[in-house]
Amino acid sequence: MNRPRHTLYILGLLVLFFTGLVLRYAGLTELFQLHPDERLIASWMNRMHETHSLLPKVYAGGFFVLADAARKTCEWIIAHTSHPWAYFTRATNLYSPSFLDPFDFGRPFNAWLGSLIILISAAWVLRITRSRAGALAAAAFMAFAAFPVEHAHYLESDIAMLATLSLSLLLMARALSTRRLFDYSLAAFSTGFAIGTKFPLVILLVPLLASIRPPFSATRTGPKMAWFSGLVLLSFLLVAAGLATACPDLLHFSEFMAGLKEGGSSVYSETVGILGPAASEPHAREWMNLGNMLRFAKSLQPAWLCLAALGIPLCLTRRIRPFWPVTLLFPALFLWYIVFKAPWSRSQEFMTFIPHFCLWAALPVAALWSSPSSFAK
């Protein structure tokens, strides 16, 4: 390892991390109108805090499970430091532990979680490209991308979606690289948790199954079909475990499925109201969703978009091609879902593609840094 370069890489990551954190914290303490969903999200955070359930409402629970675990940890730390201090200062009559306010805690939680995505993106690109320069480019992309910064200011679940998606992509890439059963198991569990954070991420099941490779130690010890069948079964079991961890209400299966069906029908019924008179036009919803994706892509700025356009063909080079389930398959499938199946589309849905824009934009940087000829090998 080249220690000076490694030190510069770590320092660069830290600079980008704290720069991203400052951007995500900017304005959190200022008075502004609440985002439309924030009051509801805050009430659900309190419900999860008190009952570890969102019932009778059925909703993707990944954000609430993560936030509640962090909130309880902070409350425990505060209680176990302030209580002894109260005894030490003989002010126990003034000691009154209380719950952290969901607004005061939730917005900074999203800011920190959004900043953590910067490091996850760098790790994902480093795993695929083996280039520190590419990893720093991906970290810079994620640090300054408009929508992740904007949504980190709100008390909502979309930053948790982006974090769990990014982590799942990283773990899938690691499993494809190492072909170790443990790494694949982590990827499968993380995929289940990501699905429980945003239900449309169920599409992650396809690249997860496409990532199945027999472990190196198993290629000569048994039929490949037996290993494949066993890994498929293991995949579904671990995905189910991850989903149940993110959505503990899944254990109330009949009530959960009934609420999920009701919520899905109400969401799809909103399409007519959004389209208005255009609802009767053929393929109006598809054109609307495609137009939204193109409009949201403009937020990434022309230079980054040009780099991403140059990077997509590099996914077919020999070094990057083994990672096709996460570099090409998932974004293609999710774009198909958004355009042809989603009832509507917003900037939250577009954020799902940002980890891939990070990768695609980083690939030309990685190729130039390591020379195109060696990158293609």
Side-chain angles (χ1 to χ4, degrees):
M1 178 186 295
N2 190 318
R3 189 167 296 277
R5 288 187 178 182
H6 180 70
T7 302
L8 288 175
Y9 170 68
I10 297 299
L11 288 175
L13 276 184
L14 290 175
V15 168
L16 289 170
F17 173 80
F18 285 109
T19 302
L21 183 63
V22 168
L23 289 174
R24 285 155 177 79
Y25 252 94
L28 282 189
T29 59
E30 296 178 8
L31 295 177
F32 58 91
Q33 188 175 0
L34 290 177
H35 188 272
D37 294 335
E38 285 192 292
R39 293 187 188 277
L40 189 60
I41 294 292
S43 67
W44 291 351
M45 284 181 67
N46 284 334
R47 187 184 302 172
M48 177 65 74
H49 199 63
E50 296 165 2
T51 67
H52 198 61
S53 170
L54 295 178
L55 292 175
K57 180 65 178 179
V58 172
Y59 193 79
F63 163 76
F64 301 95
V65 169
L66 289 174
D68 190 55
R71 188 178 173 189
K72 287 179 177 176
T73 301
C74 290
E75 289 174 345
W76 184 90
I77 293 173
I78 292 171
H80 283 73
T81 53
S82 60
H83 195 199
W85 178 252
Y87 269 97
F88 178 75
T89 58
R90 299 182 180 181
T92 52
N93 59 313
L94 302 178
Y95 175 71
S96 57
S98 60
F99 291 141
L100 290 172
D101 180 80
F103 289 106
D104 293 338
F105 172 80
R107 287 174 180 160
F109 172 78
N110 268 346
W112 279 95
L113 185 61
S115 301
L116 183 61
I117 300 171
I118 298 170
L119 302 181
I120 297 175
S121 300
W124 182 46
V125 172
L126 182 64
R127 169 61 60 176
I128 292 176
T129 66
R130 291 173 285 173
S131 167
R132 295 184 187 128
L136 287 174
F141 191 112
M142 185 61 75
F144 297 105
F147 288 133
V149 172
E150 176 192 347
H151 286 277
H153 288 83
Y154 303 142
L155 183 60
E156 60 177 22
S157 62
D158 296 299
I159 289 298
M161 175 275 294
L162 185 59
T164 55
L165 168 64
S166 300
L167 181 61
S168 297
L169 293 171
L170 166 62
L171 293 174
M172 283 188 210
R174 181 179 176 85
L176 285 165
S177 176
T178 65
R179 292 173 63 172
R180 290 201 295 253
L181 183 60
F182 178 74
D183 292 331
Y184 184 80
S185 300
L186 288 177
F189 183 86
S190 178
T191 296
F193 197 96
I195 294 170
T197 305
K198 277 294 183 186
F199 293 136
L201 291 183
V202 68
I203 293 174
L204 275 172
L205 281 173
V206 179
L208 176 70
L209 295 176
S211 300
I212 290 179
R213 304 288 187 274
F216 286 119
S217 60
T219 53
R220 298 181 181 179
T221 60
K224 289 185 177 180
M225 185 55 66
W227 277 101
F228 180 80
S229 301
L231 286 174
V232 169
L233 177 60
L234 179 66
S235 300
F236 282 107
L237 290 175
L238 289 172
V239 167
L243 179 60
T245 303
C247 299
D249 295 332
L250 182 63
L251 300 179
H252 306 278
F253 188 75
S254 58
E255 188 175 357
F256 183 86
M257 295 306 295
L260 191 63
K261 183 178 179 180
E262 179 183 354
S265 61
S266 66
V267 166
Y268 275 86
S269 66
E270 297 175 7
T271 304
V272 175
I274 294 172
L275 288 172
S280 59
E281 296 293 329
H283 307 296
R285 175 170 56 87
E286 290 84 350
W287 284 113
M288 175 190 70
N289 288 335
L290 179 59
N292 284 341
M293 293 299 103
L294 294 174
R295 178 165 57 89
F296 295 143
K298 294 179 182 179
S299 69
L300 300 179
Q301 304 304 319
W304 286 114
L305 290 174
C306 289
L307 280 175
L310 292 172
I312 292 175
L314 293 177
C315 292
L316 302 176
T317 57
R318 183 177 300 178
R319 180 185 292 189
I320 310 301
R321 192 165 56 238
F323 299 97
W324 65 269
V326 292
T327 60
L328 295 173
L329 179 60
F330 174 75
L333 288 175
F334 204 80
L335 181 61
W336 168 84
Y337 162 75
I338 290 294
V339 174
F340 295 104
K341 297 297 180 181
W344 30 251
S345 53
R346 307 158 299 172
S347 58
Q348 291 95 316
E349 282 71 40
F350 178 75
M351 279 205 303
T352 308
F353 298 103
I354 289 185
H356 295 88
F357 277 104
C358 287
L359 171 69
W360 297 334
L363 286 176
V365 176
L368 290 172
W369 194 265
S370 60
S371 80
S373 58
S374 65
F375 189 81
K377 292 181 181 179

